[in-house]
Amino acid sequence: MEKAKVLIVDDTPENIDILVDILGKGYKLKVATSGAKALALARKSAPDLILLDVMMPGMNGHEVCQKLKSDPLTYHIPVIFVTALSETENEAQGFELGAVDYITKPVSPSVVKARVKNHLSLYDQKRLLESEVAQRTKELSETRFEIIRRLGRAAEYKDNETGLHVIRMSHYARLLAISSGYSSRFCDLVYNAAPMHDIGKIGTPDSILKKPGKLNADERKEMQAHAQIGADIIGDHDDPLLQMAKRIAISHHEKWDGSGYPHGLSGENIPIEGRIIAIADVFDALTSVRPYKEAWTVKDTMALIEKESGKHFDPDLVKQFHSVLDDVKEIKAKHEETF
């Protein structure tokens, strides 16, 4: 079993030597003689526990602890103050800053060993619990995402799709979001919410969805209602993923020039995720084989998308989509459908 790492911080070499003698056989030790060096060591390779002197020149132990606890890389490390100070207010200040314990000088070997052992044990238990919670949270998130994908596929099957459409266009949407400079969190939300874009088709009559000919005005109006139906199905929720899914469902048929539906939004009044999905959805619909049509070539599809730049589509996003076209082609080939 690998030895736990303990960082000893004290400006007096004799004090460091005492602690090294006490702990040297049981732990992997590092030492620092200043607060600045201690912070650098902790950030470079986080120890499992820090023994920290309070009275040091330059940056004292309380300041070091405060910086450790405000840094995402080091805030989790347990800190034990080692000090000759015994005043209650100094102990209270240390605990307020996030220290887990105090050891007073001159130190007792048995006390040092016991405190270090106990706090490392507590730290291990905390890490194990956090790991288990993180794993369970991941499993729940994956389950939620899978349910969303399956609901999206259900809507596509109703519309003579194979289900691969939502997989491809979700990947296309994430690529477009990434290339447009959005955060990884935003891009992941787009990817996981995209399959719900046409969930409202569940509420569209089959006589309209499967009609082989052109829709009349009333039928077209009923078909267009799927955007609002989709938003109603998803509903209002505090979850960011469902919030994005709702925005996508209701806005992905809006057009840059204001001629889309259901609200005739234009330009940047259309949510960015809706504008992204619009391109990904149309590209995949045109380039995919269906029982009732041949697939368009990528070249012809891109020609139409570029022609519709500034009309149907956000012109900046069209440029970005063109820049990731090679990656789009790889995804298309990987998830190709056959009849």
Side-chain angles (χ1 to χ4, degrees), residues 61-167:
H62 288 156
E63 292 172 314
V64 174
C65 186
Q66 186 174 34
K67 289 182 180 296
L68 287 167
K69 296 304 176 182
S70 64
D71 189 332
L73 295 176
T74 57
Y75 78 95
H76 60 284
I77 305 169
V79 174
I80 298 176
F81 281 122
V82 183
T83 179
L85 297 177
S86 59
E87 292 88 345
T88 303
E89 60 269 20
N90 287 308
E91 291 189 4
Q93 183 181 359
F95 287 127
E96 287 173 3
L97 291 171
V100 296
D101 210 343
Y102 261 89
I103 297 175
T104 57
K105 299 175 183 177
V107 299
S108 164
S110 60
V111 170
V112 172
K113 289 179 180 179
R115 300 280 179 84
V116 169
K117 181 180 179 181
N118 289 341
H119 284 293
L120 283 173
S121 178
L122 289 171
Y123 184 44
D124 286 341
Q125 291 176 27
K126 181 182 176 184
R127 283 188 291 190
L128 178 61
L129 179 60
E130 289 175 346
S131 176
E132 291 174 349
V133 170
Q135 179 61 32
R136 182 59 180 150
T137 300
K138 180 182 178 184
E139 291 171 358
L140 289 172
S141 295
E142 289 175 350
T143 299
R144 179 181 59 170
F145 294 151
E146 189 59 30
I147 290 171
I148 286 174
R149 293 187 192 106
R150 288 172 187 266
L151 282 172
R153 291 177 66 185
E156 298 303 329
Y157 275 117
K158 192 174 188 295
D159 192 25
N160 284 325
E161 303 283 1
T162 66
L164 290 174
H165 167 66
V166 295
I167 294 174

Side-chain angles (χ1 to χ4, degrees), residues 5 8 17 20-21 44 50 62 91 106 110 127 138 191 204 239 244 246 251 266 269 280 289 308 310 317 326-327 329:
K5 296 180 290 184
I8 300 170
D17 291 341
V20 168
D21 287 341
K44 184 177 181 181
I50 297 175
H62 288 156
E91 291 189 4
S110 60
R127 283 188 291 190
K138 180 182 178 184
Y191 171 72
T204 305
D239 183 74
M244 178 172 284
K246 180 179 181 179
S251 68
S266 63
N269 290 321
V289 176
E308 289 296 312
L317 290 179
D326 288 342
D327 294 324
K329 290 177 183 177

Side-chain angles (χ1 to χ4, degrees), residues 258-315:
S259 64
Y261 64 86
H263 298 305
L265 301 179
S266 63
E268 293 185 359
N269 290 321
I270 305 168
I272 182 61
E273 51 266 44
R275 286 179 267 153
I276 288 171
I277 297 301
I279 294 176
D281 189 28
V282 169
F283 177 87
D284 191 71
L286 292 177
T287 57
S288 297
V289 176
R290 293 291 176 267
Y292 51 84
K293 79 171 187 72
E294 295 295 324
W296 285 32
T297 65
V298 170
K299 181 179 179 181
D300 288 344
T301 300
M302 288 306 300
L304 181 140
I305 288 176
E306 287 166 6
K307 180 181 177 182
E308 289 296 312
S309 176
K311 299 175 185 177
H312 187 159
F313 305 115
D314 179 334

Side-chain angles (χ1 to χ4, degrees), residues 175-293:
L175 273 176
L176 182 51
I178 291 171
S179 70
S180 299
Y182 289 95
S183 69
S184 58
R185 174 174 167 74
F186 177 89
C187 297
D188 287 343
L189 283 173
V190 167
Y191 171 72
N192 286 297
M196 296 283 280
H197 70 291
D198 271 341
I199 190 65
K201 286 182 179 178
I202 289 174
T204 305
D206 286 351
S207 59
I208 293 176
L209 284 176
K210 300 181 185 296
K211 183 177 179 178
K214 198 171 182 179
L215 300 179
N216 62 39
D218 289 338
E219 291 168 335
R220 189 161 51 252
K221 184 177 180 181
E222 193 160 3
M223 168 66 87
Q224 291 177 352
H226 81 272
Q228 184 63 57
I229 292 171
D232 293 341
I233 288 173
I234 297 167
D236 296 321
H237 199 279
D238 292 336
D239 183 74
L241 175 60
L242 292 177
Q243 290 176 352
M244 178 172 284
K246 180 179 181 179
R247 291 194 297 271
I248 286 173
I250 202 166
S251 68
H252 72 286
H253 283 295
E254 300 286 1
K255 295 184 179 181
W256 186 258
D257 64 5
S259 64
Y261 64 86
H263 298 305
L265 301 179
S266 63
E268 293 185 359
N269 290 321
I270 305 168
I272 182 61
E273 51 266 44
R275 286 179 267 153
I276 288 171
I277 297 301
I279 294 176
D281 189 28
V282 169
F283 177 87
D284 191 71
L286 292 177
T287 57
S288 297
V289 176
R290 293 291 176 267
Y292 51 84
K293 79 171 187 72

